[in-house]
Amino acid sequence: MADRSVDGSPPSEQTGNEISGGSHVGGNAFQAKNIHFGGRSVGLTLVALALVGAVVTLALTRAGGEGRDQPTAKPASTAAGAARTPSPAPTTPTTAPTSTVVSPSPSSPPKVEEPAAGPSGAAPKATPAREDPTGSTPFSGGNIYCGEWRGSGQSPNLDLKPCVQVVPAESRAMFGVIVKNVGKSQVTADVHVMYTAGSARECPLGSYARDGIRIDPGDTWFSDLGRCSVPGLDGTDFQGTAWAVEDRDGTVAVSLGTARHSAHPALKNGALTCRYENGAYASCAPWAYKPE
């Protein structure tokens, strides 16, 4: 009877649990070497450590403390601290307005900048290039009588002086004009020459009109006297008439100019005189042409 347990079960079949080989560590801690579960011993090195930690945690919790593994709470920020370090307000970047540039596609031709417009909105006119002046031959010979230098009446850069050359022995006269550029740049002029013998008439060889005559500043251009030669003038008086206008673009009618006149010669039985404004006839000397 001494070898059996109280309930009669053999020692090897006992289901009770026990702790053996333990030692007192200190306080409420107790380290067990072996724990018997239903007669089986398990090594409890790790379990013992876990139990010790649990016991320590329980003891601290009862004392009102915190476990050493608990994170320390961060203090709340005070109002003063918040005032000293305000959060920066979000900054909205301000950019200057720029023109939208559209990149041309590779197949598109490059954009060509247009010239800037003038105050009136029209593109500025380019300064015309100077061209070679139109050549002419000064008058020569005797009995050439001209009127005074007079303005064109339409073009401020032009003065003109109509002339007539008389050949008394042949009862013939030739008519022409001298045109002068009184401006500061080259001009392009149109000219028309006629004569008067009782009425205004075109030259016998046809209308003597010249267009696109280029004259440099201060220079003069001479018409061709031979282009307006009129025979059979004995017993009449006659006068040269001419017009000149500046016309660079070829759009100005020469008739917009004012007719200017030469001296007013007369032939009677081969004798040459000139008629004056008062109607008297006398020598033509005051209108004699002198090369300039």
Side-chain angles (χ1 to χ4, degrees):
M1 299 295 294
D3 295 332
R4 287 189 170 279
S5 62
V6 177
D7 57 0
S9 300
S12 61
E13 296 178 358
Q14 290 180 355
T15 60
N17 303 324
E18 65 178 12
I19 301 173
S20 64
S23 62
H24 185 269
V25 177
N28 294 325
F30 183 84
Q31 181 176 1
K33 293 182 179 180
N34 298 296
I35 298 176
H36 295 271
F37 295 92
R40 292 177 176 82
S41 177
V42 180
L44 298 179
T45 303
L46 296 176
V47 174
L49 293 175
L51 290 174
V52 171
V55 172
V56 173
T57 301
L58 179 61
L60 292 176
T61 301
R62 288 179 178 178
E66 293 181 339
R68 60 183 177 180
D69 293 335
Q70 294 295 322
T72 302
K74 294 183 179 179
S77 300
T78 63
R84 286 193 299 271
T85 58
S87 299
T91 302
T92 302
T94 303
T95 57
T98 57
S99 301
T100 302
V101 179
V102 180
S103 300
S105 62
S107 61
S108 300
K111 182 179 180 181
V112 179
E113 295 293 335
E114 299 295 337
S120 62
K125 293 183 178 180
T127 302
R130 178 188 174 279
E131 299 182 51
D132 291 336
T134 303
S136 63
T137 302
F139 300 151
S140 60
N143 299 326
I144 299 175
Y145 307 103
C146 301
E148 298 178 355
W149 283 112
R150 303 290 300 275
S152 153
Q154 188 271 348
S155 306
N157 294 323
L158 294 180
D159 280 357
L160 62 156
K161 178 186 291 192
C163 301
V164 56
Q165 184 174 27
V166 183
V167 183
E170 299 177 3
S171 300
R172 180 169 59 91
M174 295 171 287
F175 301 90
V177 66
I178 307 171
V179 183
K180 183 176 183 179
N181 179 357
V182 295
K184 296 181 179 180
S185 60
Q186 186 182 83
V187 298
T188 302
D190 298 341
V191 171
H192 189 189
V193 175
M194 296 180 68
Y195 76 101
T196 301
S199 62
R201 305 179 186 185
E202 294 284 3
C203 302
L205 297 178
S207 176
Y208 184 18
R210 289 288 306 273
D211 298 337
I213 300 166
R214 295 181 297 274
I215 309 173
D216 284 341
D219 286 352
T220 55
W221 176 85
F222 297 80
S223 69
D224 183 357
L225 290 175
R227 287 285 308 276
C228 193
S229 178
V230 182
L233 293 175
D234 189 63
T236 64
D237 52 8
F238 39 88
Q239 191 174 28
T241 305
W243 296 260
V245 295
E246 186 175 354
D247 183 21
R248 179 170 295 278
D249 299 327
T251 59
V252 180
V254 71
S255 59
L256 295 177
T258 301
R260 302 304 183 187
H261 304 284
S262 70
H264 199 160
L267 278 175
K268 292 184 179 180
N269 298 321
L272 175 62
T273 58
C274 282
R275 180 182 178 182
Y276 289 82
E277 292 179 358
N278 59 6
Y281 289 87
S283 169
C284 296
W287 293 288
Y289 164 75
K290 297 178 182 178
E292 296 179 4

